[in-house]
Amino acid sequence: MINAKLTTTQKQEIVTKIRESNTFKKASTSNALLQYLNEATLKGVNLKESVIDIEFFGSKEVSDKNNPRVRVNIYNLRKKIAQYYENEGKDDVWHLTIDKGQYEVRFFKKQLSKQLVKRIKWVHIIPYVALVITLFALIFTNTSPKTPTIWKSIINKEKPTNLFIGDHFGIAGNTITGGVGWTRDFNINSVNEFYELLEKKPQLKVSQKPANYTYTTRMAALATQQFERLFQHYNQDLPIRFSTLTSISEIKEGNAIYAGPIKNNNQFIHFFNEGNPYFEIKNNKLYFHNHTERKDTIFNLKTTEINEEYAIVSRYAGIENTEHFVFFSDHDIGVSATSELFTNLDSIEKFTNTHLKDKSHFTALFKVKGQNRTNTDIKLEMAVGF
């Protein structure tokens, strides 16, 4: 690879071609972010997380702290660029890249050494190339890892899968100590709910406003690590999104994994209730009913204990022929423990053989205990296939 000298117009043509590709057509954020980064690079902007957060995402607060929203979207953009060059752009001579740790767009040109090309006698080497390709195909066929039944159609190349992290909506303004800061109210989980509150309490308009960022707990990082590791094992991408910044249409784009709390009133609770014939989450309770062999039961999901809680894991049919795999709990230990359990190949096989048999969907309830937000014990309370 060598560095390329291109005109501003030529660079924009390369960016436009990528943005209009099938890889980028449905990735609206990555599409717009690529255009912004290219323009900023051409202008000589000193790109860093805080600058991108303010100029692209519209943040009104200047901060030098790490910004997970910027990092996640840059990470997804790099994956999309790599995906483009692996498929539609595999024959492109000019490439662009965003180096790790940097945010500027860099262009380069791939080319073979001319002397090497002249020395190659293709007629002589074609039979050997064909032989090598055949051997690699045989090796790959025999050694490619088999996807566990429980993850089939979630981990595949035919339909994309997104990981949705359960984050928390916040309010910026006066705090109970008289200062100014970020506040979490579990009764307010979206911008719409916030403005509904202002209609009831208009006096808050002068002191409160929607915060420019949300937050996640430790479970988000731990669960993401587990799922990313599993998908990498099968050479699959796993784009990451935040639940408060996600619309129904984005969830419908493909298969979905949700990992996070119940108390943020996320959209996957509705899909869980629609997709489960025997379970329903309502008012911080899990209702089990209408089963032909088991009695109706109600589980209280809300607890004041931080060292013990219920965790729900469910695989059910989503909308428009998609699949959902959700991991619910209110504190860190539940989601952390179950995401670890269902990404361990031995645990997956044992659970499948014991509880699923010929069923493709299920809901399982676990009681998880822990210390300092770290799980120390996990016990299966019930598992129902359907």
Side-chain angles (χ1 to χ4, degrees):
M1 296 187 296
I2 62 172
N3 291 328
K5 292 183 179 180
L6 296 169
T7 65
T8 299
T9 301
Q10 289 173 324
K11 290 178 180 179
Q12 182 57 56
E13 288 175 352
I14 294 172
V15 171
T16 300
K17 180 181 178 182
I18 295 173
R19 293 180 63 208
E20 292 177 351
S21 67
N22 291 329
T23 304
F24 273 76
K25 275 184 179 178
K26 293 184 179 180
S28 56
T29 302
S30 293
N31 196 310
L33 183 56
L34 176 59
Q35 180 64 35
Y36 161 76
L37 293 177
N38 181 56
E39 292 177 355
T41 301
L42 293 174
K43 292 176 183 177
V45 175
N46 182 21
L47 287 170
K48 54 184 180 178
E49 287 184 11
S50 57
V51 173
I52 297 171
D53 194 33
I54 293 170
E55 292 192 351
F56 182 77
F57 291 102
S59 176
K60 297 180 181 179
E61 298 182 9
V62 179
S63 174
D64 291 327
K65 296 181 179 179
N66 290 336
N67 190 303
R69 174 169 61 180
V70 174
R71 293 200 310 276
V72 167
N73 281 281
I74 292 292
Y75 173 80
N76 289 339
L77 174 58
R78 288 194 181 104
K79 279 196 168 185
K80 283 290 182 185
I81 293 172
Q83 184 181 344
Y84 167 78
Y85 284 119
E86 288 173 1
N87 296 285
E88 298 166 85
K90 63 182 179 181
D91 296 325
D92 288 4
V93 175
W94 298 95
H95 286 219
L96 68 78
T97 186
I98 301 170
D99 296 323
K100 288 188 177 180
Q102 304 293 325
Y103 300 110
E104 290 80 10
V105 176
R106 182 172 65 85
F107 296 84
F108 62 89
K109 183 179 180 181
K110 283 188 174 181
Q111 60 179 203
L112 289 172
S113 168
K114 293 181 180 179
Q115 293 182 350
L116 177 61
V117 172
K118 289 180 180 179
R119 290 201 305 267
I120 295 175
K121 295 184 178 179
W122 296 104
V123 175
H124 293 166
I125 70 168
I126 286 176
Y128 298 100
V129 172
L131 177 61
V132 171
I133 292 174
T134 302
L135 289 174
F136 270 105
L138 289 172
I139 293 172
F140 180 79
T141 302
N142 293 326
T143 61
S144 181
K146 183 180 179 181
T147 307
T149 302
I150 205 170
W151 282 100
K152 277 186 177 177
S153 76
I154 295 285
I155 302 178
N156 63 37
K157 295 182 179 179
E158 297 177 0
K159 187 165 294 191
T161 296
N162 295 310
L163 171 60
F164 296 88
I165 298 299
D167 55 342
H168 297 276
F169 178 83
I171 301 171
N174 295 342
T175 64
I176 59 174
T177 61
V180 177
W182 193 99
T183 302
R184 166 65 177 151
D185 187 325
F186 291 114
N187 293 315
I188 307 297
N189 294 291
S190 68
V191 172
N192 291 337
E193 290 181 0
F194 174 79
Y195 285 114
E196 287 176 3
L197 173 67
L198 292 189
E199 289 182 3
K200 298 177 182 178
K201 298 182 178 182
Q203 69 273 16
L204 294 177
K205 292 181 179 180
V206 297
S207 61
Q208 306 291 327
K209 65 179 181 179
N212 292 319
Y213 56 90
T214 61
Y215 90 93
T216 60
T217 63
R218 186 166 176 260
M219 76 165 76
L222 294 175
T224 300
Q225 183 182 39
Q226 298 294 340
F227 295 128
E228 280 280 5
R229 184 181 300 156
L230 179 68
F231 272 65
Q232 288 174 4
H233 181 71
Y234 296 99
N235 300 313
Q236 296 296 306
D237 292 331
L238 185 61
I240 303 169
R241 301 182 180 182
F242 293 111
S243 62
T244 61
L245 305 176
T246 301
S247 65
I248 296 294
S249 61
E250 289 175 313
I251 295 175
K252 292 165 62 176
E253 287 180 2
N255 299 321
I257 302 171
Y258 173 84
I262 301 169
K263 57 190 174 186
N264 65 354
N265 196 29
N266 63 84
Q267 298 177 85
F268 285 92
I269 294 176
H270 166 76
F271 293 123
F272 171 90
N273 291 341
E274 290 289 320
N276 271 269
Y278 308 119
F279 291 90
E280 180 183 14
I281 296 175
K282 185 171 61 176
N283 299 325
N284 295 310
K285 291 182 173 61
L286 177 67
Y287 293 85
F288 175 68
H289 48 65
N290 300 328
H291 197 275
T292 56
E293 299 176 2
R294 302 190 185 190
K295 66 177 182 178
D296 293 358
T297 312
I298 300 175
F299 300 90
N300 186 10
L301 302 176
K302 189 174 183 179
T303 174
T304 57
E305 297 288 334
I306 62 172
N307 296 326
E308 181 177 313
E309 67 171 342
Y310 284 117
I312 301 169
V313 179
S314 184
R315 164 82 188 269
Y316 56 86
I319 48 183
E320 296 188 359
N321 200 31
T322 61
E323 293 287 325
H324 287 187
F325 209 157
V326 298
F327 297 77
F328 290 137
S329 71
D330 263 359
H331 303 300
D332 286 358
I333 57 176
V335 167
S336 300
T338 51
S339 62
E340 182 179 357
L341 180 71
F342 281 90
T343 54
N344 179 285
L345 297 182
D346 292 334
S347 300
I348 294 172
E349 183 178 6
K350 181 179 179 181
F351 180 87
T352 302
N353 294 337
T354 305
H355 302 289
L356 293 190
K357 297 179 181 179
D358 60 340
K359 306 294 184 182
S360 58
H361 299 119
F362 73 94
T363 294
L365 180 69
F366 295 86
K367 176 65 72 69
V368 184
K369 297 180 181 180
Q371 290 290 332
N372 299 322
R373 296 182 177 268
T374 302
N375 59 288
T376 57
D377 180 68
I378 180 169
K379 178 185 177 183
L380 178 65
E381 297 287 311
M382 66 186 306
V384 180
F386 53 90

